[in-house]
Amino acid sequence: MSATRDESRHPRLGDWAILIAAGALVGGLWLGGPAGEGNRAEVRVEDSVVARLDLRQPGTYTIDGRLGTSVLEVADGAVRFVESACSTDRCIASGAHRHTGEVTACLPNRVTVAVRGGAGDYDTLHY
């Protein structure tokens, strides 16, 4: 082996800079943590808001979508689909959502649910 090949195996200054920057990014994201827990859910059918649900008040809600009825359940500070008119049931499989900014949807039925309130109550920043 030549000396040139052996030297290429050792990290260089640029390699260390990339590792330190990546570590700082991961650490910052970890310390920032997830968005806070929301306190309400905004339910839309197509482009219209059809309900605002208080996540602190347990209940079951029926929402009429494009294909039929979706049933939402609010329990333990979270919202989830329990029934829907779609054939895939992916909305039901997505489980409960409680953190601000989380969105679940039954796309075939055109029903979306977004968790709002709490820390981080925004979806974009414009300058």
Side-chain angles (χ1 to χ4, degrees):
M1 264 195 223
S2 69
T4 307
R5 283 189 80 183
D6 288 340
E7 289 175 9
S8 66
R9 290 184 181 193
H10 298 293
R12 296 182 179 191
L13 182 60
D15 298 329
W16 286 110
I18 290 171
L19 286 172
I20 290 169
L25 176 64
V26 169
L29 291 173
W30 181 73
L31 289 174
E37 291 189 5
N39 55 21
R40 66 186 185 281
E42 184 177 81
V43 182
R44 292 179 175 264
V45 175
E46 302 277 345
D47 291 330
S48 301
V49 176
V50 296
R52 287 186 175 87
L53 310 176
D54 186 343
L55 296 182
R56 297 167 290 196
Q57 298 295 319
T60 304
Y61 305 89
T62 57
I63 307 296
D64 293 324
R66 183 175 141 198
L67 299 177
T69 301
S70 288
V71 178
L72 301 173
E73 178 185 62
V74 174
D76 300 321
V79 61
R80 69 185 185 104
F81 281 92
V82 291
E83 292 179 32
S84 198
C86 65
S87 60
T88 62
D89 290 338
R90 288 185 181 139
C91 52
I92 296 168
S94 73
H97 301 275
R98 68 174 28 107
H99 295 104
T100 300
E102 286 185 324
V103 177
T104 184
C106 180
L107 295 178
N109 205 21
R110 303 280 198 249
V111 177
T112 60
V113 181
V115 179
R116 304 281 189 221
D121 191 18
Y122 54 84
D123 57 358
T124 62
L125 294 175
H126 297 276
Y127 294 97

